[in-house]
Amino acid sequence: MRSSPEPPLTMYDIVIIGTGLYGIQAARYYLDNHPGAKLLLLESDNVPGGTWSTKRIYQDFWTQTPVRMAEFSDQPMTPPPEQYYGFFPGKYTTAYLESYLDNHSYFGQTIRDRISFNSHVESITKISQPSPFGDINWEIIYNTNQRVLTSKLIDATGMTSQPQIPAIPGSSDFNGNTLHHKSFGQSQTLLLEDPSVKDICIVGGAKSAADVAYACAKAPASRTIHWVIREDGNGPSAFFAAPAMTERYANSNEGFYNRFLASFLPNRFGNTWGWLKWLLQSTFFGRWYVKRLWDGFDKGLRQFHDYQREEGKEMGFANLEYDTPIFWQNDSSGVCNHPDFLSTIAKNVHIHRRDISHLSSGSITLNPQSRNPSQDKSNPITLPIDTLVYCTGWSPQATLFPPHEAFSLGLPVPLDSADPEIQSHWSTLEKAADPLILSQFPALAHPPAYHKISPAITPFRLYKAIAPSSDPTHSIVFLGKIVVGNNFRVAETQALWSVAYLDGLIPNLPTRSQMEREIAATVAWDRRRYLNKGELGSWFYFDVVDYADALLEQLGLSSHRQKGWKGNLVEPCFAADLKEIGKEYRRKYYII
């Protein structure tokens, strides 16, 4: 029998998978430093932009990152004409990214010119033997018959690529419309203008569910909207108000993403303001003051949103009140980025805090409410629905690598797929790190009561949340494998750090064992800091400023801190602050 021929072969200096924020910045910084490189971007869709692509945005989808922060440092965004405290419709970010791809050209080729669209990566294999083609480390197969060899590889698929859809009994019997919110942008017009769509059910508790509920409620046609949030999950998101608490800042993001406020966060990133963090996090008086501030903020936010408001009582609006104090971020967060965001939901959306029993052909049945059950909540209820929208997040499991390779690289795999010996090694390191974390941040030893969910997969275990400790060639990195409140800033800093890492320019890079201890400490910290959300070792939501600063500190860069000591401490961290870091990096490392 003749073997099937191998796919045609193409070689590149570097391949980047994904063209969202992280893939775009990876291409920009790599080409800034290697303008003549043979670089390929693989995009599974036929449009770029990831979360911000033309396919995924919709009319009422607005940013949660405001102007001056929702941009890259080398191309300021023209302020959108539609704004609410600096937050704006997502379509302007889409247009910005489209122009960004066309405005960055190297040797006559734009970033867009280097994208291969509709390219579905099927497998990635590490080349362990010397290659006759030179310094080649990775083989990529995509679209069945396309084969690529590359020296360096950047996985920039991020955390919002693979929809996660729960297994609900009776799903196969449901004969209505079913979709994940990833495709809501493509389906919104059809669904919300279709007169046959009368009863919509949204499942999920995160901000994406609130955005879809708001969009459905704003549609002109009258219909019934149900929003189901499981009791056995993390609960509904905690919504930040759009205005800042003080007049110094234009919005809540500006008030939060500055180095002074970052000192009130118990994280292990960055050293520049270490004395202030030590004072606030390690001393009795400091911890008392920090707790008082966070408790006051939490109380004020609940009062501001008025979850017991009269207009929402019949609709169950009180079910939107988040479970754990906002400091712990156990239920994720969002911003009320429309002036009528919560009032529209309160008046138009039936909110249920119940577990789902099953689906049938034209309905969904919910279990009795176990929390504070009253007479009218002690029985199952069946809701007639014709459309089901899953706003249930994303699967973090690696799909581009075989499970054994994914686990070795520090990517999540099912627990039963993890090598027991290696898993035991990591568990030992993480247990050893835990008391050190608590000695550094004693407040983390006293979490609130919460519904603990045992993870079914291993956590991310990446050095600086980017690089696998197991790869001696330092030829692969993973970008965007964390959850943060401002992806623009993190995309820039991760991209530049990754270029330095792939080029072997990270000063005093730790040994493998040192990397492993740091990774284990980060996982142990994340579990303590963010409870269920931290189990994956990738939840850094509040820690944008310190995390980005830490990456730049390791590279020895400081041009992002040119506002004087007071300005560096209290001024918001805008995208423009990073505008010189690329030049500073090239000067420092003698890159012409």
Side-chain angles (χ1 to χ4, degrees), residues 17-48:
I17 304 174
T19 62
L21 301 184
Y22 290 88
I24 291 172
Q25 283 305 287
R28 169 231 171 160
Y29 272 109
Y30 197 84
L31 291 169
D32 278 352
N33 290 280
H34 305 279
K38 191 175 182 182
L39 180 148
L40 173 67
L41 293 109
L42 296 175
E43 172 54 56
S44 62
D45 211 332
N46 62 356
V47 291

Side-chain angles (χ1 to χ4, degrees), residues 259-260 263-264 272-281 569:
R259 295 183 181 89
F260 177 70
S263 299
F264 288 80
T272 303
W273 300 101
W275 63 270
L276 183 56
K277 193 176 289 290
W278 172 84
L279 176 67
L280 292 173
Q281 302 297 335
L569 184 62

Side-chain angles (χ1 to χ4, degrees), residues 186-227:
Q186 294 176 269
S187 307
Q188 181 196 27
T189 301
L190 178 64
L191 285 177
L192 301 187
E193 293 182 3
D194 184 348
S196 68
V197 175
K198 300 182 183 299
D199 300 285
I200 299 175
C201 180
I202 301 157
V203 176
K207 180 57 162 52
S208 59
D211 286 335
V212 170
Y214 178 82
C216 292
K218 295 291 284 187
S222 176
R223 54 178 51 84
T224 302
I225 306 165
H226 296 281
W227 179 3

Side-chain angles (χ1 to χ4, degrees), residues 234-362:
N234 291 317
S237 286
F239 299 117
F240 283 85
M245 296 179 66
T246 68
E247 294 183 357
R248 181 184 187 91
Y249 303 110
N251 51 63
S252 55
N253 274 37
E254 288 190 14
F256 199 85
Y257 293 123
N258 59 75
R259 295 183 181 89
F260 177 70
L261 261 294
S263 299
F264 288 80
L265 300 169
N267 67 46
R268 34 191 330 275
F269 309 120
N271 298 308
T272 303
W273 300 101
W275 63 270
L276 183 56
K277 193 176 289 290
W278 172 84
L279 176 67
L280 292 173
Q281 302 297 335
S282 298
T283 68
F284 176 82
F285 173 78
R287 294 196 301 274
W288 171 84
Y289 184 70
V290 168
K291 186 177 187 306
R292 182 182 175 88
L293 181 141
W294 277 101
D295 286 349
F297 177 62
D298 186 84
K299 181 179 179 181
L301 198 60
R302 293 176 193 267
Q303 291 174 343
F304 181 83
H305 291 322
D306 188 13
Y307 291 104
Q308 306 300 323
R309 64 180 69 182
E310 193 64 34
E311 68 178 351
K313 282 189 176 180
E314 292 186 4
M315 309 296 281
F317 184 73
N319 287 321
L320 266 191
E321 185 164 6
Y322 51 95
D323 294 347
T324 51
I326 198 167
F327 167 82
W328 297 93
Q329 247 276 315
N330 187 47
D331 36 31
S332 76
S333 288
V335 177
C336 292
N337 45 8
H338 299 269
D340 63 342
F341 189 75
L342 289 183
S343 62
T344 296
I345 291 175
K347 290 183 287 188
N348 297 282
V349 180
H350 299 270
I351 302 168
H352 309 273
R353 191 74 195 277
R354 294 171 178 246
D355 292 331
I356 299 172
S357 170
H358 64 275
L359 287 162
S360 57
S361 60

Side-chain angles (χ1 to χ4, degrees), residues 371-386:
R371 298 182 180 217
N372 304 316
S374 59
Q375 186 174 0
D376 61 330
K377 298 177 181 177
S378 59
N379 296 311
I381 59 172
T382 297
L383 309 172
I385 62 171
D386 51 52

